[in-house]
Each structure stands twice: as structure tokens, then as C-alpha cells.
Amino acid sequence: MGFTARHPRYTMALIMLLFISILIFANSEPSPRYLSRPYPLSFPKHGEGLPPGYVEDQIKTSEAYYQESLKERQKLITKWGPSPSQVAAFPSNGEFYTLWDFFTPAFRCPHRMQRVGTLGDGGKWVCGLERLEDKKDCIIYSVGVNGESSFEATLLQRAPGCQVYGYDFSVKSFGPEIEKVPSLKRRAHFKPYALGGADAHGPNDDPPYYTLASLLAKNNHTFIDILKIDIEGAEFEAVEALIDAYPSASSSSWSSDDGKSGIAGGGLPFGQLQLEVHVRENMPWTYFPKFLLWWEKLEKAGLRPFWTEPNLVYVNLVRGARPDLVEYSFINIRGSHELVSGQHITY
């Protein structure tokens, strides 16, 4: 005779105990120590819930890692050079690298990072958009509109305190994403200007050229929260001129009088930069040493790439074309603004 036949009451008690235990465990909250927390749908806007100095410490840590990445860049130059003048931007003799391998986005955005605008050509990667969602007097500059404004429209929708200033001599207005939405168009300002390395906006200049510093002065602005530049190769002179207009940015360094983490110096007049870099054949910037000096100038001014995305549209359209168009997103680690501080900044 089996155990269950000899002890039916004991067997039933065990079954009931097992059933009750299953019900209890099924309806109880798991221990927080083992609970896998979901990806947050909201992020601190003004440092709520963040320990004091959290963002500043994240910037400082990322900067240390970025400096290590510069050593790796030098190793790669030595390997394929050994001097910069001997490095080809896009080699054709079986070397396993391209120009972009020397300039990796080794810095980490200390906030939420997301792609804004349409998928494919037109969208950009942005750091910490949540920090601007309820900011008053937020300023966006978009240079190079080209009739597609999903990026700018999404920024205006997400941040109702923002105004966007667009510049492009090849079109007459923003794209339909803004022009056909009255609530967005009221906060959008367009001019058919070109961005360049020098001003040329006299009566005989068509199109009129402005430096970014001149546009800031013309609009009575001192700071741009998000700066997007896509000007088909003219970005080299334009960005150089901007950095030259703010020499204190390049003389600033990571330091703090009280020994805490922080960035000294005024810095460039924007929080982040979304930049499409064009290194087409026969351009002087295809020469690796020249491109390297330009890039190092950006780094010296406090710009750190936190994302890169190759624009492969033209590689697909023109079979056999070089991958010479790349989107970069930079954070400005100098000055005092939302991306480098856990606190809300008032300008």
C-alpha cells in the first residue's frame, strides 16, 4: 500500500499547503533587490532626484575616458602613418580603416539620448532634450533647412518655450512640418541667409553670408540651446570662425577653485551641436592632417562627440561612392548650461 493510501489526510494537507504557497508567491511583490526596473519613461528635468553634483561628476568621468580615447587615436595614426601626413583619409590599398575611425564618439551624454525627427536623412541625435521641455526662452538655430523640418518641428512640439531660427539660401521657408502647423510656425523664424567663415551681406551679396557670431548679435542672443548645421561642406570654415570669435573657449580647461568637479571658462555660446560633416573628394579637408587640426580645434574649444551616424543615403544612390558624409552630435562641456549642470540654468 502506498504512502497516499495509508495517510490520505496527511497527503491532502500537503497538497493544500502547496496550493496556498503558490497563491501567496504569485501575488506577492518580488524583492526590490531582484526586481528588474523598467527603462524610465521620464527623466529629471532640473536635477530632481539626482544627488548633488551627479551630472558634473558624470561629465568629469566621461572626460577622463575621452582623454584615453585620444591616446588610441594617436596609436592608430602611428600604425598607419606613422605621421599624420602619411595617413590617407580613405585608403585604397587594403588598409582596414577610414577617416571616421580616428574620430569616435567616445564621450557619454549624461542625460537621455534620443533621435529627433524623421528616421533616415533629416533626423538628429540629441542629448538631454528633457532638460528643455519646460524651459522659457529656449533658443534653437537650424542652419541648412533644405525643405525638411521634422527635426525642428519635433523640438518645438516637445519644448513649447523654444523658438527656432532657420537659415538656408537654397529654399524660401521651413518645410511643411512647420509651415503647415500654425502653432509651430508662430515660433519659427526663417531667413534666406548663408552661414560662412566671414560676413558678406552688402547690397551686392547674393546670398548674404553671416558668421554665427554675427547672427547671434543680429538676433540679440547670447546662447543657443541646440545648434544644427548641415551646409554641404561649408561647415569647416563656419565652425572655425565661430571658435575664433570666442577665444576664451579654447583657453578654458577642466578645473575648479573649490576642488570639486566643474568646467572653467565661458565656453562656446551653445549647449550642443548636431553637425553633418562632408568630406567629399577633392575637398582640402580630405587631407588627413588638415582635418585632424580642424577636429582638434573643436576639442580644444570644449566640444565632445557623443554620437555618430553615417549618412548612407548617397552611398546607396551612387553605388561605389565613399562614405564621406557623417552626422556627429557634440556636447559643449564648458560654460554653464543645462547639459553640464544638474540644476536649472537661467540666462
Side-chain angles (χ1 to χ4, degrees):
M1 182 179 293
F3 177 83
T4 56
R6 289 199 305 266
H7 305 283
R9 293 182 180 179
Y10 186 67
T11 301
M12 288 300 297
L14 287 175
I15 293 173
M16 289 299 296
L17 181 62
L18 178 62
F19 180 73
I20 292 171
S21 299
I22 292 173
L23 288 178
I24 291 173
F25 281 107
N27 289 280
S28 64
E29 290 289 335
S31 170
R33 192 160 60 96
Y34 301 108
L35 180 63
S36 177
R37 303 182 68 180
Y39 189 81
L41 296 179
S42 62
F43 290 77
K45 295 180 180 180
H46 302 323
E48 301 95 331
L50 293 177
Y54 171 82
V55 173
E56 292 83 351
D57 287 345
Q58 291 294 307
I59 294 287
K60 187 174 183 179
T61 300
S62 288
E63 176 65 2
Y65 284 126
Y66 193 80
Q67 293 301 319
E68 289 298 314
S69 76
L70 300 186
K71 298 176 184 178
E72 295 301 315
R73 177 192 299 166
Q74 188 54 53
K75 289 180 182 178
L76 195 60
I77 291 173
T78 301
K79 176 180 179 180
W80 295 109
S83 68
S85 62
Q86 296 169 297
V87 176
F90 297 96
S92 57
N93 296 316
E95 298 92 334
F96 284 84
Y97 73 88
T98 70
L99 173 68
W100 314 118
D101 291 306
F102 294 85
F103 307 101
T104 58
F107 202 87
R108 179 180 177 272
C109 161
H111 310 281
R112 182 187 180 190
M113 194 167 62
Q114 60 190 121
R115 201 175 193 280
V116 175
T118 184
L119 295 177
D121 192 29
K124 312 290 180 182
W125 283 92
V126 172
C127 171
L129 178 55
E130 70 278 1
R131 303 300 307 279
L132 305 179
E133 287 181 345
D134 59 0
K135 180 182 177 180
K136 297 179 181 179
D137 302 322
C138 156
I139 300 297
I140 301 164
Y141 274 35
S142 177
V143 188
V145 175
N146 196 29
E148 204 289 323
S149 300
S150 61
F151 173 73
E152 297 83 357
T154 303
L155 292 176
L156 291 177
Q157 291 165 354
R158 289 279 304 275
C162 284
Q163 304 271 334
V164 62
Y165 293 77
Y167 301 98
D168 192 331
F169 65 91
S170 68
V171 294
K172 297 181 179 180
S173 68
F174 283 105
E177 298 85 356
I178 287 180
E179 291 296 313
K180 293 185 177 182
V181 184
S183 62
L184 301 184
K185 189 174 180 179
R186 284 193 291 268
R187 294 187 283 129
H189 316 275
F190 178 86
K191 293 291 183 181
Y193 299 161
L195 184 69
D199 288 323
H201 42 81
N204 298 320
D205 293 310
D206 185 23
Y209 273 80
Y210 288 85
T211 65
L212 193 64
S214 295
L215 290 176
L216 281 161
K218 185 177 179 65
N219 296 325
N220 197 27
H221 293 152
T222 59
F223 188 81
I224 303 169
D225 293 280
I226 295 178
L227 171 61
K228 186 209 86 174
I229 298 177
D230 183 357
I231 50 178
E232 305 303 317
E235 64 271 6
F236 296 100
E237 291 87 353
V239 174
E240 269 198 333
L242 172 63
I243 294 173
D244 290 341
Y246 297 87
S248 63
S250 296
S251 63
S252 303
S253 60
W254 184 280
S255 63
S256 178
D257 294 336
D258 58 7
K260 298 180 181 179
S261 61
I263 291 292
L268 296 170
F270 56 85
Q272 61 184 296
L273 168 65
Q274 281 69 41
L275 178 70
E276 183 164 60
V277 183
H278 307 75
V279 189
R280 295 191 174 97
E281 289 188 70
N282 301 320
M283 288 181 64
W285 306 98
T286 303
Y287 182 51
F288 182 83
K290 186 174 179 64
F291 187 94
L292 176 64
L293 288 174
W294 176 80
W295 187 275
E296 289 177 338
K297 189 167 188 174
L298 272 62
E299 292 173 327
K300 189 176 180 181
L303 297 183
R304 299 291 182 267
F306 64 84
W307 192 267
T308 187
E309 178 180 283
N311 187 336
L312 300 178
V313 172
Y314 297 106
V315 175
N316 181 59
L317 293 176
V318 183
R319 302 294 172 148
R322 298 186 327 184
D324 50 19
L325 276 63
V326 171
E327 303 273 3
Y328 275 98
S329 293
F330 297 85
I331 181 175
N332 176 13
I333 65 171
R334 303 233 169 93
S336 178
H337 57 88
E338 274 81 3
L339 298 186
V340 297
S341 172
Q343 304 303 315
H344 180 59
I345 307 297
T346 303
Y347 301 109

